[in-house]
Amino acid sequence: MNTTPESSPENDGPILGPIETLSTERVIIPRIEEQLQAGKQTLETGRVKLTKTVHETQETLTIPLPREAFIVERMPLHEYVDEVPAARQEGETIIYSVVNEVLVVQKRLLLVEEIRVTKQQTQHEETQTVPLRREEITVERTSTIPTPERPA
């Protein structure tokens, strides 16, 4: 059977030639393939020169800037109070009280007695019996032969 594919909206490809049919009922369709090769190439179309110039001007600008300063004063009072005073404000001044706890003890001396110590020297006689020892040696001589006397 010889059929020729036609161009249709769904198939925008080329129209093929006649299709050959063999005796074994085999249909051979020739295939056509297109290939695309893309490349790029630098092509100079013109040149551009850029020059930068900076202009500087001096302008004076006055800007109001608020500034706060604090003045700290220490006022010694040395007064006794019954409770801690709260912080208070008088105009632009804030007053903080600083307190110390102080122990108040009152001491007085009470003379209870005096102890008097006086040194006194006295002599008295005392009788005691004390054993005393005394040693005495007696030498006796007896001689049968006269001998010169010797002092003892």
Side-chain angles (χ1 to χ4, degrees), residues 107-116:
K107 290 198 312 185
R108 293 186 69 192
L109 299 176
L110 175 64
L111 181 59
V112 178
E113 67 177 327
E114 288 181 339
I115 299 174
R116 297 181 181 198

Side-chain angles (χ1 to χ4, degrees), residues 13-146:
I15 298 177
L16 301 176
I19 299 174
E20 298 177 17
T21 307
L22 298 177
S23 61
T24 59
E25 292 292 323
R26 233 173 114 188
V27 177
I28 298 174
I29 301 173
R31 186 182 103 179
I32 298 175
E33 179 179 337
E34 291 183 358
Q35 292 184 352
L36 176 65
Q37 288 187 351
K40 62 181 182 175
Q41 174 179 10
T42 305
L43 179 63
E44 185 176 319
T45 58
R47 291 184 181 213
V48 176
K49 180 180 179 184
L50 300 176
T51 304
K52 181 177 179 182
T53 305
V54 178
H55 298 281
E56 187 174 310
T57 60
Q58 301 290 329
E59 292 188 29
T60 303
L61 181 64
T62 302
I63 301 172
L65 296 175
R67 178 179 290 176
E68 291 182 342
F70 293 93
I71 300 170
V72 177
E73 295 177 87
R74 300 177 83 117
M75 303 294 293
L77 294 177
H78 298 292
E79 295 176 5
Y80 288 101
V81 293
D82 294 328
E83 60 185 36
V84 177
R88 65 186 189 277
Q89 185 165 355
E90 294 178 2
E92 291 293 317
T93 303
I94 299 175
I95 300 171
Y96 297 99
S97 297
V98 179
V99 296
N100 283 341
E101 288 184 339
V102 178
L103 181 61
V104 177
V105 177
Q106 185 177 16
K107 290 198 312 185
R108 293 186 69 192
L109 299 176
L110 175 64
L111 181 59
V112 178
E113 67 177 327
E114 288 181 339
I115 299 174
R116 297 181 181 198
V117 178
T118 305
K119 182 177 180 180
Q120 190 177 38
Q121 288 187 352
T122 58
Q123 287 186 354
H124 68 279
E125 295 178 359
E126 185 176 312
T127 305
Q128 288 186 357
T129 305
V130 179
L132 293 177
R133 294 188 178 105
R134 183 174 159 252
E135 293 181 346
E136 188 176 299
I137 298 176
T138 306
V139 177
E140 290 184 13
R141 290 193 179 108
T142 56
S143 72
T144 53
I145 304 174

Side-chain angles (χ1 to χ4, degrees), residues 7-19:
S7 183
S8 67
E10 33 197 65
N11 184 9
D12 288 335
I15 298 177
L16 301 176
I19 299 174

